[in-house]
Amino acid sequence: MERLLKTIKIAINEKIYLKDPESSQLGKRIIEHSILMIDEIGFESFTFKKLGVVIGSNESSIYRYFENKHKLLVYLTSWYWGWLEYQLVFATNSMTDPKEKLEKTLAIVSKSTVQDNAFTHINEVLLNKIVVNESSKSFLTKEVDLENKEGYFVIYKRMVNRLEDMIKAFAPTYDYPSSLASTILEGTLHQHFLKDHFPTLTNCDDKRTPGDFIADLVFKTLNQHNSNG
Amino acid sequence: MERLLKTIKIAINEKIYLKDPESSQLGKRIIEHSILMIDEIGFESFTFKKLGVVIGSNESSIYRYFENKHKLLVYLTSWYWGWLEYQLVFATNSMTDPKEKLEKTLAIVSKSTVQDNAFTHINEVLLNKIVVNESSKSFLTKEVDLENKEGYFVIYKRMVNRLEDMIKAFAPTYDYPSSLASTILEGTLHQHFLKDHFPTLTNCDDKRTPGDFIADLVFKTLNQHNSNG
DNA sequence: ATAATATAAAAGTATTACTATTATTTTTGC
DNA sequence: GCAAAAATAATAGTAATACTTTTATATTAT
């Protein structure tokens, strides 16, 4: 998989950036260090000026890649979902049994991220932390409808729709396949957050993971549905 | 209920404000118009300066009530959860059947908010919209652990724990009562958001509500659990 | 070698998120 | 009803943010 991914590029909607950060060394440094910095100080405190200082570059040069830090966040989360989607499709493509396929899918979307060395300038473990802690801010804005229309969130939506399809294949008459799919993704992220900051609001920890909870929830729901109509 | 609530005050942790906004006319105007304004322009664009202009008061006077807009958001969401908690306890207190009680609870926490005239300066419908669109930003911060330790989120946590207790009463051996409880609250808000902005990611609309989805999810899960162990 | 492009440096602007000081108004305690 | 205290308003000021613009320098492509 590693070798294959080295030739693969996660395709991000061109409207999100002014200049493709994958097209230059500076662009890659922007991505690499924005991940480190947002993880370290949080999205609110993160600025292009501070980023410029640590990558030894000028604020104005960063503005030639991204209009503002919000679009950079949209880029980073899109990249993450594209990367996860790739893993998902790769791992489940050959599977035929709907149950196995759904199980594998849940395992992939809810597992703790491990470093993937295929993309040397992207730290996937930290990017996953950013998705847990910051990604809601990319769509909880007044501009969400406009940006959605422009296609900023297509990768995420495609991911939810893939999950929806797997749910339908396993339980064709279930009434809420897309609501369950979106709940799986958001719910998993939220349980990861609670595990780290509000342990009394979750039963998840290092032994019973958010993935275990979600798998239990999904299969209890769909099995009950399949057996009782 | 209306008359009773007129004598009730939602108790908010005193560390969240510098001066209790319920203690003066100016304070109430701050709350009233911050709700209108955050709903209208969004939390990012909302400033104390703009609020001062519309309430005909000075920026510096607002700073005597709240240190910054983040604490005001924490106050507003706390008030909302306290208000919902009150309705929940009031409506379910006399119930004895665990199933009925859980059903009623789900109905209350997931229903579309209607205006409550008991608190004249608070528009609960708009406040509910703010909770859907902005409340995640109150805890997705680098300061969350510190603020949690200071008790900023006690009301929300108490609400999740009440839900957890109802789940336990109905399904005493279920493994994930608090994870399910937190998923119910966050999931409901998220489905409301999707319904308004990403209709392809949810099956909920005006006919099949987020409440219907969540009730279906919860009872399918817990019934399956109760019958299969 | 020249032109085109990318990056860096510097300066400037409007706004934000405050703090501090002083003046004025309102409330309260006697 | 008056003085003291408290609350609010007005004004000014600061440092940082979120940019934009201009110009200079370096890099790359033809």
Side-chain angles (χ1 to χ4, degrees), chain A residues 128-212:
Chain A
N128 172 260
K129 283 178 70 185
I130 290 173
V131 169
V132 168
N133 291 295
E134 318 284 2
S135 67
S136 297
K137 299 168 192 168
S138 71
F139 55 80
L140 294 177
T141 68
K142 279 283 163 185
E143 297 78 31
V144 61
D145 295 333
L146 190 74
E147 295 186 349
N148 186 24
K149 210 177 267 173
E150 297 277 308
Y152 286 30
F153 307 107
V154 274
I155 302 184
Y156 180 73
K157 285 157 73 174
R158 213 165 55 213
M159 188 80 186
V160 174
N161 288 330
R162 284 186 192 280
L163 239 172
E164 180 190 357
D165 290 342
M166 311 253 191
I167 292 165
K168 280 177 174 162
F170 179 69
T173 62
Y174 176 62
D175 278 335
Y176 302 97
S178 53
S179 286
L180 184 59
S182 51
T183 301
I184 288 166
L185 291 191
E186 274 299 301
T188 300
L189 296 182
H190 190 55
Q191 292 298 312
H192 275 289
F193 181 83
L194 294 179
K195 179 168 98 59
D196 292 341
H197 301 288
F198 293 91
T200 63
L201 305 188
T202 180
N203 304 102
C204 299
D205 51 32
D206 291 332
K207 280 172 194 156
R208 286 189 303 176
T209 67
D212 294 335

Side-chain angles (χ1 to χ4, degrees), chain B residues 26 29 50-58:
Chain B
L26 178 60
R29 283 175 65 74
K50 291 175 187 170
L51 179 62
V53 172
V54 306
I55 65 176
S57 181
N58 201 274

Side-chain angles (χ1 to χ4, degrees), chain A residues 70 73-74 133-145 147 153 186, chain B residues 38 41-45 73 129-140 186 189-190 192-194 197-198:
Chain A
H70 169 251
L73 181 63
V74 174
N133 291 295
E134 318 284 2
S135 67
S136 297
K137 299 168 192 168
S138 71
F139 55 80
L140 294 177
T141 68
K142 279 283 163 185
E143 297 78 31
V144 61
D145 295 333
E147 295 186 349
F153 307 107
E186 274 299 301
Chain B
I38 292 172
I41 65 175
F43 186 66
E44 277 72 35
S45 300
L73 181 63
K129 283 179 69 186
I130 291 174
V131 169
V132 169
N133 292 294
E134 319 285 1
S135 67
S136 297
K137 299 167 193 169
S138 72
F139 55 80
L140 295 178
E186 273 299 301
L189 296 182
H190 190 56
H192 275 288
F193 181 83
L194 295 179
H197 301 289
F198 294 91

Side-chain angles (χ1 to χ4, degrees), chain B residues 201-220:
Chain B
L201 304 189
T202 179
N203 304 101
C204 298
D205 51 31
D206 292 332
K207 281 170 192 157
R208 285 189 303 177
T209 66
D212 295 334
F213 161 62
I214 288 291
D216 180 87
L217 182 74
V218 169
F219 283 105
K220 277 191 171 127

